[in-house]
């Protein structure tokens, strides 16, 4: 039986940009190192598609150690053409203090307007679909965000026809509880803390209305959940 966090999150598991990372190994030459990297990437992709294991990305390390540095460097150079002052430290600070609380909070509250402010069309559409699904079922999620932890830059890549994209993995401590419209607990418990693992893909872009640079969310993926201990 699926828990509260799994029931209405299927639309947040269809993430083409993220899944595309696990297909890159097929394009490498078949040196011994490349073969091992490709096999690691294939193992990670299979685990992603079948188990949704929160720590599946560790199997990706062989690929990452060989190729991530050069691809990340290319992505950084492209981002700095738009934002010369870009740094991962500054980006992660902005993610933790503003973007992640806003986007995850909007998702939990069912706030489509805030979602559309921070997210690109695909991400906003996936979140909206999840919100509409649980509203139609007469369900509400607990909206408490207890902590945001383990935030790391998983990858950065200059994607054809899209541009430089940064992938960020993080964990949010949340209350694993679902309510009906009268506030009655129908799944989980209001004192049950869960570790919910997410991945964001974000892109630096210029907001013409506000005349400033912002991070736009291209995709939001729920990787998995487990009891927080």
């Amino acid at each position: 039986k699926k828990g509260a966090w799994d029931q209405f999150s299927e639309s947040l598991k269809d993430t083409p940009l993220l899944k595309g990372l696990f297909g890159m190994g097929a394009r490498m030459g078949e040196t011994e190192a490349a073969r091992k990297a490709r096999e690691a990437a294939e193992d990670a992709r299979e685990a992603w598609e079948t188990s949704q294991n929160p720590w599946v990305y560790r199997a990706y390390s062989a690929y990452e150690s060989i190729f991530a540095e050069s691809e990340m460097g290319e992505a950084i150079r492209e981002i700095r053409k738009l934002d010369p002052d870009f740094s991962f430290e500054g980006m992660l600070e902005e993610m933790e203090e503003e973007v992640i609380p806003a986007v995850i909070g909007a998702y939990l509250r069912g706030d489509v307007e805030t979602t559309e402010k921070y997210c690109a069309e695909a991400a906003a559409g996936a979140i909206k679909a999840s919100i509409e699904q649980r509203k139609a079922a007469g369900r509400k999620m607990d909206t408490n965000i207890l902590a945001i932890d383990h935030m790391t830059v998983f990858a950065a890549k200059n994607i054809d026809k899209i541009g430089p994209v940064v992938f960020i993995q993080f964990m949010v401590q949340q209350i694993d509880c679902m309510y009906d419209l009268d506030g009655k607990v129908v799944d989980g418990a209001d004192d049950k803390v869960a570790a919910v693992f997410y991945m964001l893909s974000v892109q630096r872009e210029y907001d013409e209305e506000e005349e400033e640079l912002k991070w736009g969310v291209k995709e939001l993926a729920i990787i998995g959940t487990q009891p927080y201990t």
Side-chain angles (χ1 to χ4, degrees), residues 94 109 133 190:
E94 186 174 343
R109 295 191 308 273
Q133 183 185 18
D190 59 10

Side-chain angles (χ1 to χ4, degrees), residues 11-12 103 106-107 111-112 115 119 122-132 134 217 220:
S11 65
L12 300 184
V103 173
Y107 167 63
D111 180 353
V112 173
T115 295
C119 298
I127 295 172
K128 183 179 179 181
S130 178
I131 290 171
E132 290 179 344
R134 67 178 187 254
V217 176
L220 171 66

Side-chain angles (χ1 to χ4, degrees), residues 16-199:
L17 294 180
L18 177 57
K19 289 182 178 179
L21 287 175
F22 296 118
M24 291 186 291
R27 298 198 298 269
M28 302 183 296
E30 281 296 317
T31 63
E32 179 64 16
R35 181 187 63 78
K36 291 180 179 179
R38 175 177 57 77
E39 290 175 354
E42 289 172 353
D43 289 344
R45 182 177 65 246
E46 182 180 359
W48 161 263
E49 292 173 348
T50 58
S51 72
Q52 297 293 320
N53 188 315
W55 301 116
V56 70
Y57 305 105
R58 291 174 178 172
Y60 193 60
S61 59
Y63 168 84
E64 185 175 335
S65 64
I66 298 170
F67 292 96
E69 183 176 351
S70 60
E71 292 207 328
M72 188 171 289
E74 180 184 358
I76 291 171
R77 287 191 292 272
E78 289 299 313
I79 294 171
R80 285 181 175 162
K81 290 179 181 179
L82 180 63
D83 181 3
D85 296 325
F86 165 77
S87 69
F88 283 128
E89 291 81 3
M91 180 199 69
L92 290 176
E93 182 177 350
E94 186 174 343
M95 290 295 119
E96 184 172 10
E97 293 181 357
E98 178 185 357
V99 177
I100 289 173
V103 173
I104 301 301
Y107 167 63
L108 298 178
R109 295 191 308 273
D111 180 353
V112 173
E113 183 178 352
T114 298
T115 295
E116 292 176 342
K117 175 183 177 181
Y118 285 91
C119 298
E121 184 177 353
I127 295 172
K128 183 179 179 181
S130 178
I131 290 171
E132 290 179 344
Q133 183 185 18
R134 67 178 187 254
K135 282 185 176 180
R139 297 290 183 262
K140 296 187 296 183
M141 285 182 167
D142 192 293
T143 60
N144 287 290
I145 295 176
L146 306 180
I148 299 169
D149 297 314
H150 307 300
M151 187 184 307
T152 59
V153 174
F154 170 65
K157 179 175 171 59
N158 193 34
I159 299 176
D160 186 40
K161 298 181 180 180
I162 295 177
V165 176
V166 181
F167 297 84
I168 303 166
Q169 182 179 346
F170 58 98
M171 182 269 281
V172 180
Q173 293 179 38
Q174 300 173 205
I175 304 298
D176 185 6
C177 189
M178 191 79 69
Y179 306 90
D180 65 16
L181 298 182
D182 294 323
K184 179 183 177 181
V185 175
V186 293
D187 196 359
D190 59 10
D191 60 353
K192 181 181 178 183
V193 180
V196 184
F197 299 86
Y198 294 90
M199 174 114 27

